[in-house]
């Protein structure tokens, strides 16, 4: 595997959109309005949300739509097992009324820890379930009447009473070729994450030729601080946890990073989560959760941009000292983001 910081040439690619995941860790959603209102001035074009064991995916986007008339909003992602297909379609259609033409609905299989462990829902046939929900939701959002059997559920009959007037893009959380191809053949694209910059070409190769209008969103994790010890303490537990989930273990094996993660997998399987954290090489921690000054982080974020990548979505974990004032927070995000290069 090449070094995580190998310089990449991306001048031939069209500029990507830049998004940020909200709420920021450590800041409740009711305290984000000032930030949302300033994001366009900082060069950010999108607000994204995610859903696991904390904040739901839709409330931050509804708040964003109320606070901004221009930002694009997207879920990245909503698990397909934890909401019924019609509920997903209804929620997306309702949110689209607040942000017409600006909504991307990102759905995906997620991981058993988010589906079964905390929701008590079996994590059955994740690929088929994702495919079936994608097919249902895309048809429902077009206003079609849907009835019949899918592989993983049956619908007696449903039609959205008020389908969106402007199209809603439906994209898939995707790690490996099957889901990536599904996202681009039957959906409007895909969102991928937790990969090194040099892994992006393999993802693009799996996607194949991209028709106009399709999306490839790359989610990048960032901890903008020059305190390396703090960055490692803040990010290593999460990385050890997520990289030992089966979907991400298989993802990195497919990418060719299996040897790099072999020891952490062995210790996790042996019931030693602390040992699994310690076994993560620093190059993995530094490569998958970028740290450094905002300017250093920005340069490394840009390494993810290749032709075919339409959006860079940032998950930003800020050190405590950044929250001392709104000005400090905005300055950090400005130095980190696209406007810093103007």
């Amino acid at each position: 595997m090449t070094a995580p910081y190998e310089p990449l040439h991306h001048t031939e690619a069209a500029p990507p959109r830049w998004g940020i995941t909200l709420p920021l860790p450590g800041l409740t959603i009711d305290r984000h309005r000032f930030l949302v209102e300033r994001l366009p001035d900082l060069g950010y074009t999108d607000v994204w949300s995610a859903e696991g064991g904390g904040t739901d995916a839709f409330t931050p986007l509804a708040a964003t739509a109320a606070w901004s008339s221009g930002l694009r909003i997207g879920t990245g992602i909503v698990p397909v097992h934890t909401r019924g297909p019609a509920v997903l379609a209804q929620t997306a259609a309702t949110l689209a009324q607040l942000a017409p033409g600006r909504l991307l609905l990102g759905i995906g299989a997620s991981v058993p820890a988010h589906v079964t462990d905390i929701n008590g829902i079996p994590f059955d046939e994740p690929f088929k379930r994702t495919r079936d929900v994608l097919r249902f939701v895309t048809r429902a959002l077009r206003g079609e009447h849907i009835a019949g059997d899918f592989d993983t559920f049956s619908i007696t009959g449903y039609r959205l009473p008020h389908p969106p007037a402007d199209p809603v893009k439906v994209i898939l959380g995707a790690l490996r070729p099957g889901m990536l191809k599904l996202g681009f053949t039957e959906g409007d694209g895909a969102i991928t994450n937790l990969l090194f910059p040099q892994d992006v070409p393999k993802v693009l190769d799996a996607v194949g030729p991209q028709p106009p209008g399709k999306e490839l969103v790359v989610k990048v994790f960032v901890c903008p601080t020059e305190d390396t010890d703090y960055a490692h303490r803040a990010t290593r537990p999460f990385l050890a946890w997520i990289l030992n989930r089966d979907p991400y273990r298989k993802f990195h094996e497919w990418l060719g990073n299996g040897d790099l993660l072999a020891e952490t997998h062995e210790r996790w399987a042996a019931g030693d989560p602390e040992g699994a954290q310690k076994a993560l090489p620093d190059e993995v921690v530094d490569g998958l959760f970028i740290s450094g000054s905002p300017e250093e982080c920005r340069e490394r974020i840009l390494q993810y941009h290749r032709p075919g990548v339409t959006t860079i979505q940032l998950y930003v974990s800020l050190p405590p000292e950044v929250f001392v004032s709104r000005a400090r927070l905005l300055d950090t995000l400005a130095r980190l983001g696209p406007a810093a290069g103007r």
Side-chain angles (χ1 to χ4, degrees):
M1 193 183 104
T2 54
Y5 319 133
E6 178 185 351
L8 301 175
H9 299 289
H10 46 76
T11 54
E12 72 277 14
R17 304 178 72 100
W18 283 63
I20 189 163
T21 307
L22 298 183
L24 294 173
L27 196 67
T28 55
I29 191 61
D30 57 298
R31 299 167 63 196
H32 278 71
R33 180 168 185 161
F34 80 95
L35 173 58
V36 168
E37 291 176 341
R38 288 294 307 278
L39 283 176
D41 297 334
L42 306 182
Y44 294 93
T45 58
D46 297 4
V47 164
W48 290 79
S49 63
E51 188 165 280
T55 307
D56 80 278
F58 292 105
T59 304
L61 300 187
T64 296
W67 296 333
S68 169
S69 61
L71 288 168
R72 191 171 70 158
I73 56 177
T75 60
I77 61 161
V78 178
V80 294
H81 289 86
T82 54
R83 284 183 178 84
V87 172
L88 269 174
Q90 292 167 38
T91 307
T94 305
L95 189 55
Q97 294 175 21
L98 295 176
R102 294 185 284 121
L103 173 63
L104 286 84
L105 177 64
I107 60 174
S110 188
V111 294
H114 289 157
V115 175
T116 304
D117 294 359
I118 64 173
N119 283 293
I121 299 170
F123 190 72
D124 293 338
E125 300 189 277
F127 180 84
K128 288 184 178 180
R129 176 77 180 191
T130 303
R131 181 202 61 201
D132 290 350
V133 172
L134 170 66
R135 290 173 176 175
F136 177 93
V137 169
T138 52
R139 291 176 60 192
L141 290 172
R142 291 196 297 261
E144 297 181 23
H145 179 267
I146 305 164
D149 296 329
F150 294 76
D151 282 348
T152 57
F153 54 82
S154 297
I155 302 296
T156 301
Y158 180 75
R159 186 197 304 272
L160 267 174
H162 303 290
D166 296 292
V168 173
K169 288 187 175 183
V170 184
I171 65 174
L172 294 187
L175 300 178
R176 290 183 290 154
M179 203 72 84
L180 287 163
K181 291 175 182 176
L182 178 65
F184 279 85
T185 55
E186 298 197 33
D188 295 299
I191 175 172
T192 194
N193 74 135
L194 284 169
L195 69 169
F196 297 109
Q198 65 270 18
D199 295 328
V200 174
K202 188 159 188 175
V203 170
L204 289 165
D205 288 344
V207 166
Q210 294 170 243
K214 300 284 185 174
E215 302 278 345
L216 180 60
V217 182
V218 177
K219 185 175 182 179
V220 182
F221 291 77
V222 188
C223 183
T225 176
E226 295 180 79
D227 184 343
T228 303
D229 289 340
Y230 170 82
H232 285 188
R233 290 195 308 272
T235 63
R236 190 180 290 271
F238 163 73
L239 289 174
W241 182 87
I242 193 69
L243 293 173
N244 279 291
R245 305 298 102 184
D246 194 53
Y248 286 92
R249 179 180 59 79
K250 292 178 178 177
F251 179 43
H252 278 279
E253 288 174 354
W254 172 66
L255 290 172
N257 301 328
D259 290 346
L260 198 60
L261 299 172
E263 187 176 354
T264 190
H265 293 327
E266 290 173 4
R267 296 196 181 190
W268 190 275
D272 181 13
E274 290 187 8
Q277 289 185 33
K278 293 176 181 177
L280 272 181
D282 285 348
E283 63 182 301
V284 171
V285 178
D286 294 332
L288 297 183
F289 214 127
I290 295 170
S291 61
S293 70
E295 290 78 13
E296 291 169 335
C297 290
R298 184 180 182 278
E299 287 303 308
R300 290 171 57 194
I301 291 165
L302 286 172
Q303 294 179 17
Y304 285 90
H305 185 222
R306 296 290 188 96
V309 174
T310 60
T311 302
I312 300 293
Q313 176 197 352
L314 302 184
Y315 177 93
V316 184
S317 177
L318 294 166
E321 61 268 19
V322 173
F323 290 105
V324 297
S325 70
R326 291 182 175 185
R328 178 78 178 271
L329 192 156
L330 291 170
D331 177 69
T332 299
L333 293 180
R335 292 160 58 201
L336 186 69
R342 292 176 182 170

